[in-house]
Amino acid sequence: MANSPRTPYSVLDLAPVTEGSTPAESFARSLDLARHAEALGYARYWLAEHHNMPGIASAATAVLIGHIAGGTSTIRVGSGGVMLPNHAPLQVAEQFGTLASLYPGRIDLGLGRAPGTDQPTTKALRRYYAGADAFPSDVMELLRYFEPAQPGQPVQAVPGAGLDVPVWILGSSLFGAGLAATLGLPYAFASHFAPGAMSEALALYHRDFRPSKHLRQPHAMLVLNVVAADTRAEAERLFTTQQQSFVRLRRGTPGLIPPPIDDIEAFWSPAEKAMVAQSLACSVIGDPGDVREGIAEFVARHRPDELMLTANIFDHDARKHSFALAADAMRA
């Protein structure tokens, strides 16, 4: 089955910090990967906000977006996402207004309502925070800051007011799908780690979508784990890095990104194996033929308007090669 070349494909990066490396090295690798992705025809390069995780260096997401955008020339760079309850909407508008002023026409703002961390860190981030119930009103407040400033307006985003900063709603449940539909915004679903509600969320988003000045018809993006290598066995071995990271997170012992191992069965329990299989069900692992077929089947089954690929691979050159093979598959 051939995949439609009209499906845009993008990269989701968490700025992984591998064992034996530093965040500074992670940032250099992310920029190198972004330049590589740009040359390969990837449409977007998104970075995700996480906190208190030694293996993920993208906590200051807007700062890192500026680093990536400044080192590339055409690829769109954005957040996948900024966890809005951690921030004042005005501050986010100012940050992304600054980015959009520096890199016009290239900045995306994806918003999520999860904390992106554990409970103690959530409290440290949100000094006066009571819950995520304010997320819809915070999104609407943020959208207003991107409107042209009006005479007498008491608070405006400088820069930000009147700028074109596309806002996406991110989610892994029906809540985000419903909000994106109500506000007439594009929607990205976190199918790469929480695929359970994917089909129901997409159906709700399309059913309840209301056209807006931001978007005339629904536009949905799905995220897919893709690990490609020259052989299926090597791809499966590379994927053990992601599998180990997931198990360690569930065990409450997240750390730096581990190298692949030869015997994943000796690492996890049967219950952990089942948990990983369920969480990472939206994954395509294999050689170029496997990846081409797997991506094509995923797109044909779920019909996303865009596809975002992510790959937690220990070796940087192997990660670049995987994204190159994935791009070949998307163009096939």
Side-chain angles (χ1 to χ4, degrees):
M1 178 189 299
N3 181 46
S4 168
R6 293 172 295 181
T7 305
Y9 51 98
S10 300
V11 174
L12 176 64
D13 182 20
L14 275 62
V17 185
T18 56
E19 291 183 6
S21 72
T22 65
E25 292 169 316
S26 169
F27 299 147
R29 289 192 295 265
S30 286
L31 179 55
D32 185 55
L33 180 60
R35 289 169 170 164
H36 183 61
E38 184 174 73
L40 291 168
Y42 284 86
R44 310 177 193 273
Y45 196 96
W46 281 10
L47 295 138
E49 177 185 343
H50 291 78
H51 299 277
N52 197 32
M53 298 187 70
I56 298 176
S58 51
T61 315
V63 177
L64 191 51
I65 288 170
H67 173 63
I68 299 299
T72 53
S73 58
T74 58
I75 195 167
R76 297 191 67 92
V77 188
S79 60
V82 161
M83 300 298 108
L84 188 54
N86 295 342
H87 311 274
L90 176 61
Q91 291 175 312
V92 176
E94 291 169 339
Q95 290 169 359
F96 280 79
T98 299
L99 289 167
S101 297
L102 289 167
Y103 311 105
R106 295 184 54 212
I107 300 300
D108 298 325
L109 173 53
L111 300 172
R113 70 177 184 126
T117 188
D118 52 58
Q119 281 289 25
T121 312
T122 298
K123 293 179 181 178
L125 283 165
R126 310 170 183 179
R127 304 302 295 271
Y128 307 103
Y129 178 75
D133 296 340
F135 181 66
S137 61
D138 282 350
V139 171
M140 289 185 283
E141 179 184 346
L142 177 51
L143 289 171
R144 286 194 296 270
Y145 288 130
F146 289 131
E147 297 288 334
Q150 301 300 312
Q153 182 175 323
V155 179
Q156 59 180 281
V158 183
L163 295 182
D164 179 22
V165 182
V167 174
W168 293 65
I169 299 297
L170 280 56
S172 58
S173 68
L174 302 185
F175 182 92
L179 180 62
T182 298
L183 298 179
L185 295 174
Y187 178 58
F189 187 85
S191 37
H192 60 304
F193 72 86
M198 175 177 60
S199 296
E200 191 176 358
L202 285 178
L204 185 153
Y205 173 65
H206 283 91
R207 184 194 71 209
D208 292 351
F209 182 84
R210 301 176 187 173
S212 71
K213 58 187 174 183
H214 307 288
L215 199 61
R216 301 180 67 88
Q217 59 187 15
H219 190 92
M221 179 159 60
L222 298 178
V223 189
L224 182 66
N225 297 291
V226 177
V227 176
D230 293 331
T231 68
R232 184 180 301 174
E234 177 60 14
E236 291 173 347
R237 182 176 181 275
L238 293 175
F239 190 50
T240 62
T241 288
Q242 174 73 348
Q243 292 168 321
Q244 291 176 80
S245 296
F246 240 80
V247 171
R248 289 178 175 183
L249 182 63
R250 294 301 188 270
R251 289 175 179 173
T253 57
L256 300 179
I257 303 303
I261 54 178
D262 294 324
D263 186 8
I264 188 67
E265 299 300 331
F267 174 78
W268 55 21
S269 70
E272 290 170 336
K273 179 180 180 178
M275 176 274 297
V276 171
Q278 182 179 33
S279 299
L280 303 182
C282 291
S283 300
V284 175
I285 316 297
D287 61 27
D290 297 326
V291 170
R292 183 170 56 251
E293 181 178 352
I295 291 176
E297 290 180 353
F298 184 84
V299 170
R301 181 180 304 115
H302 302 293
R303 301 187 178 282
D305 298 293
E306 296 191 38
L307 193 62
M308 183 160 274
L309 311 182
T310 188
N312 193 358
I313 296 174
F314 180 84
D315 181 78
H316 182 59
D317 287 337
R319 193 172 185 224
K320 289 175 65 177
H321 186 49
S322 178
F323 277 107
L325 294 176
D328 289 341
M330 291 297 299
R331 293 191 297 260

